Amino acid sequence: MRKKYIAANWKMHTTLGEANVLASNIIKKSKPNTNQHIIFFPPFPYIQSIADLVSGNESYSVGAQDCASEPKGAFTGEVAAFMIRSVGGKWVIIGHSERRSHFNESNETLKKKVELTLDENLSVMFCCGETIEQREKSIQNQIVETQLEASIFHLNPAAFKNIVIAYEPVWAIGTGKTASPEQAQEMHHYIRQLIAIKYNDRLADEISILYGGSVTSTNASSLFSQPDIDGALVGSASLMTDEFISIIHVGL
Ligand code: PGA
């Protein structure tokens, strides 16, 4: 049975104190089932602190929202994958649409980040998704295929197992507009087919594919009931303790 994930992307929100309270309350009050895993993605400076909170609890882990595309060196302001590992991070989000659009991250740059992250034995949450203009032209499948092909499909099968894919249509992120369960399922199924063609059926069946984009406790259950949706990458709703706990408790 595929592992199910509920991930909290806190983006550029919270103070250290707020992040600690949020994570502590979620850990205290939520009861993930044995096949569910919860990941907190706080801002960089709080990773160590949240890693201490989740330490020893197998249902939770912590990760970074990004990492540098260079291994180390004179890159003022950047945070390398090995640094994330050294403060207890287990995951890195790579290819979030906000990184692609606001910071002009190309598929080639993302490929480098993926490799550096995996080299540190961290797992990758790889985001892909089309814009509204691309969906209106019905080229969403092509766009997602290109994103996967250019940044992760070069990996060998052993490395690919450390990837979780998050399909996040850009038009659904932070907009309150969610993809319908059918639209999401269609894309998740398409992604799984691509993995089967590129690798094999077994690997395609093992890889978890999350949906992201305005997930709330109200729409979570219809999304999670789709056969190829293995959880969610949650932005705004993950900053609200009860709302996020409700998404976990919808169950998967
Ligand atoms: P949202 O963000 O839930 O606020 O739409 C999702 C994301 O950006 O990962």
Side-chain angles (χ1 to χ4, degrees), residues 9 11 96 98 168 172-175 212-215 233-237:
N9 178 7
K11 307 192 180 182
H96 191 281
E98 287 152 17
E168 299 205 305
I173 298 176
T175 57
S214 300
V215 174
L233 178 53
V234 187
S236 320

Side-chain angles (χ1 to χ4, degrees), residues 103-249:
F103 301 94
N104 294 323
E105 293 192 357
S106 66
N107 288 330
E108 194 50 41
T109 302
L110 300 176
K111 180 181 182 187
K112 282 162 68 183
K113 293 187 178 200
V114 166
E115 284 166 5
L116 290 166
T117 299
L118 295 176
D119 284 350
E120 289 302 323
N121 290 321
L122 302 174
S123 297
V124 169
M125 176 134 337
F126 185 79
C127 301
C128 56
E130 79 287 354
T131 62
I132 190 65
E133 293 78 18
Q134 291 163 339
R135 182 159 278 266
E136 279 165 0
K137 286 190 211 146
S138 298
I139 54 168
Q140 65 271 16
N141 287 8
Q142 253 165 276
I143 297 296
V144 167
E145 182 175 356
T146 304
Q147 291 170 339
L148 300 175
E149 192 67 54
S151 304
I152 59 172
F153 275 176
H154 65 290
L155 297 168
N156 66 42
F160 198 82
K161 280 188 180 169
N162 297 310
I163 304 260
V164 164
I165 295 173
Y167 168 57
E168 299 205 305
V170 180
W171 46 272
I173 298 176
T175 57
K177 276 189 218 157
T178 325
S180 69
E182 294 73 27
Q183 283 173 320
Q185 166 58 25
E186 193 177 48
M187 181 59 85
H188 285 226
H189 183 67
Y190 178 66
I191 293 171
R192 216 176 287 291
Q193 278 180 320
L194 291 176
I195 300 170
I197 294 165
K198 195 80 203 174
Y199 296 93
N200 55 60
D201 287 346
R202 223 182 76 192
L203 191 53
D205 194 48
E206 279 174 15
I207 297 291
S208 300
I209 307 177
L210 318 188
Y211 169 79
S214 300
V215 174
T216 64
S217 61
T218 312
N219 57 33
S221 75
S222 58
L223 288 161
F224 295 166
S225 64
Q226 299 298 317
D228 286 296
I229 299 185
D230 306 310
L233 178 53
V234 187
S236 320
S238 72
L239 291 162
M240 295 176 270
T241 310
D242 292 342
E243 181 67 7
F244 190 65
I245 291 172
S246 298
I247 295 172
I248 296 170
H249 289 174

Side-chain angles (χ1 to χ4, degrees), residues 29 38 53 141 162:
K29 296 188 199 164
I38 315 302
L53 287 177
N141 287 8
N162 297 310

Side-chain angles (χ1 to χ4, degrees), residues 14-26:
T14 73
T15 61
L16 172 61
E18 289 163 351
N20 281 334
V21 169
L22 187 56
S24 309
N25 284 337
I26 292 168

